[in-house]
Amino acid sequence: MLRVAIVGASGYIGGELLRLLHGHPRATVVAATSDRLAGRRVDGPHPNLRCHTDLSFVGHDAVEHVDADVLFLAAPHRETMGRMAGFLKLAETVIDLSGDFRLRDPDTYASYYGVPHAAPHLIPGFTTGLPEWHRAELAAADRISVPGCMATAGILAVRPLAEAGLIEGPVQVDARTGSSGSGASGGPAAAHAERSGALRVFAPSRHRHEAEIAQATGHTVRMTATGVEAVRGVQVVCHARLASGASERDVRAAFRAAYEDEPFVRVVARRQGLYRLPEPKILTGSNHCDVGFAVSADDGTAVLVGALDNLVKGGAGGAVQCLNVRFGWPERTGLEFPGLHPN
C-alpha cells in the first residue's frame, strides 16, 4: 500500500481526496492536516466519511514527522509556493492542487495572482497534471501540478481543435461554476441568501484559469466566470472561429482522435435529447469530463462545451488519476463512480 498524506484536508478538495483515497485499493491515508481542526476527527467537517475512517487531523507541522510516499497539497494559492521547498523534502512524489505551479511563466503568474512568484526556480520541475495531454511525462513525474477546474474543462474542450489547426484567432470562454468552487470558506458571497437564485458574474475578465487555457492551447483566451446556484459542477462554453475550410466533420474527427481511448473524457454532441451537450448535473461525484461541440456553417464558428464535477475531475479526482498514471496502475482505480441521474 502506498502511504499518502494530505496537506490542507479540511476543505472541500481535501474532503474529496480523503473520500477517494480511502476507497483506493492501493493507497492508505496516513495523515490529514489542518491547524484549525488538529486533534479532531476528519468526519466532523466531512460527515460523509462517518463509519469509513477513524482518522483525526494533525497540525500542518506534524506532517514533517510522517513517513509518506506521496504528499497531496490542497493548501491555498499564494501560500503553497513559499513552503514548496520544504514539502519536496517530505515525500518522493508531490501532487499540488493549488494554482502556484500551473503557469510556466513567473511574470504571467504575478499578473494573474497579484503577487510575485516566491519560488520561480521550482516551476520547471513540475509536470501538468492532465493525463489526457501529459500522460507520458506523468508516468515519470514526481512533481505534479493539477490544473484548475474551469481550466481543465476549457483545455479538454479546446485543445483537440487547437492541436489539429482547426481554429484561428482568440477563444472566448464563458464559464459557469457551482458554489463549492469558492471553497469551504467562500465568504459572504457564498451565503445561501446571496447565492440562491443568483447568476453572478464574479470575474468579467482575467480569471486566472484563462491563463492556463491559453498556455495549453497556444491561443489568446478571454474568459468570463459566472457563479450559478448549483453546489457542484463546471460548464464552459467556448466560442472560436474555425480555420478556413474546416467543417463539422473535421471538428468531430479531431475530438474522436484526441479522446477515443481516454477513460474519463466522453464526446457528447447529439442533435436531440435532454443531454445532447455536456451537462455537469449528471457528472456529480464522477471523474468524467464530457466535451462536445456545435458548428455554425453560416459564419464558420464553433461552440465547444466542456463539463465536469469541479471537486472530482476538476480537482481531487484529477489528482488521483495522476497518482494512478505515476505508479502504473489502471487509471480508473478508485475512480469508477459513474455519476448520478436523476440528481
Side-chain angles (χ1 to χ4, degrees):
M1 297 288 282
L2 205 66
R3 295 168 58 86
V4 303
I6 303 168
V7 174
S10 63
Y12 293 145
I13 290 289
E16 283 295 270
L17 283 169
L18 284 165
R19 178 179 72 86
L20 294 171
L21 290 168
H22 273 292
H24 198 290
R26 303 199 184 191
T28 183
V29 179
V30 296
T33 80
S34 169
D35 282 341
R36 181 174 59 89
L37 299 177
R40 300 185 185 182
R41 291 170 58 98
V42 301
D43 59 10
H46 308 305
N48 56 317
L49 299 180
R50 290 171 183 163
C51 299
H52 288 275
T53 177
D54 294 324
L55 192 68
S56 294
F57 291 107
V58 298
H60 293 322
D61 291 342
V63 76
E64 299 177 6
H65 308 291
V66 173
D67 180 17
D69 304 300
V70 179
L71 198 61
F72 287 88
L73 304 179
H77 311 307
R78 304 184 184 91
E79 295 181 18
T80 301
M81 56 184 173
R83 302 173 61 193
M84 185 57 76
F87 288 140
L88 295 175
K89 299 176 182 178
L90 302 180
E92 181 178 345
T93 302
V94 173
I95 301 177
D96 181 25
L97 289 97
S98 82
D100 287 352
F101 292 89
R102 294 169 180 166
L103 299 174
R104 314 310 297 172
D105 180 9
D107 292 336
T108 302
Y109 177 91
S111 174
Y112 277 88
Y113 283 81
V115 296
H117 201 285
H121 61 290
L122 295 179
I123 294 175
F126 278 82
T127 297
T128 300
L130 194 62
E132 291 78 11
W133 292 102
H134 300 276
R135 186 170 283 108
E137 305 99 296
L138 287 169
D142 283 322
R143 301 179 182 184
I144 297 168
S145 177
V146 179
C149 54
M150 290 182 281
T152 295
I155 293 167
L156 292 175
V158 175
R159 185 157 173 172
L161 271 66
E163 290 287 311
L166 295 178
I167 54 177
E168 56 187 23
V171 177
Q172 179 67 46
V173 178
D174 177 12
R176 303 89 183 262
T177 180
S179 59
S180 61
S182 300
S185 303
H192 178 73
E194 302 297 339
R195 187 84 184 208
S196 181
L199 294 169
R200 182 170 296 117
V201 181
F202 65 89
S205 63
R206 289 188 61 77
H207 189 282
R208 57 181 177 260
H209 291 177
E210 87 174 15
E212 293 182 61
I213 302 171
Q215 176 179 268
T217 63
H219 285 264
T220 298
V221 174
R222 295 291 178 258
M223 178 173 169
T224 297
T226 301
V228 299
E229 190 168 4
V231 174
R232 290 179 185 243
V234 157
Q235 182 188 66
V236 295
V237 180
C238 311
H239 300 267
R241 178 167 296 281
L242 293 175
S244 178
S247 67
E248 180 174 346
R249 178 174 293 183
D250 296 326
V251 171
R252 186 176 297 275
F255 274 108
R256 284 181 174 170
Y259 299 133
E260 62 181 351
D261 295 323
E262 289 297 332
F264 292 115
V265 180
R266 305 181 296 196
V267 180
V268 180
R270 301 178 180 177
R271 297 189 183 280
Q272 57 186 1
L274 290 177
Y275 297 96
R276 63 190 183 93
L277 286 169
E279 162 63 68
K281 180 180 175 68
I282 61 169
L283 300 174
T284 300
S286 86
N287 196 54
H288 287 291
C289 178
D290 287 352
V291 296
F293 60 89
V295 172
S296 172
D298 295 339
D299 59 2
T301 60
V303 176
L304 312 173
V305 184
L308 48 72
D309 183 326
N310 55 295
L311 299 180
V312 189
K313 180 59 174 169
V320 173
Q321 186 182 353
C322 290
L323 177 79
N324 292 339
V325 173
R326 169 62 183 85
F327 288 92
W329 304 327
E331 285 184 45
R332 293 182 183 273
T333 305
L335 297 169
E336 295 87 355
F337 185 73
L340 298 171
H341 180 263
N343 174 26

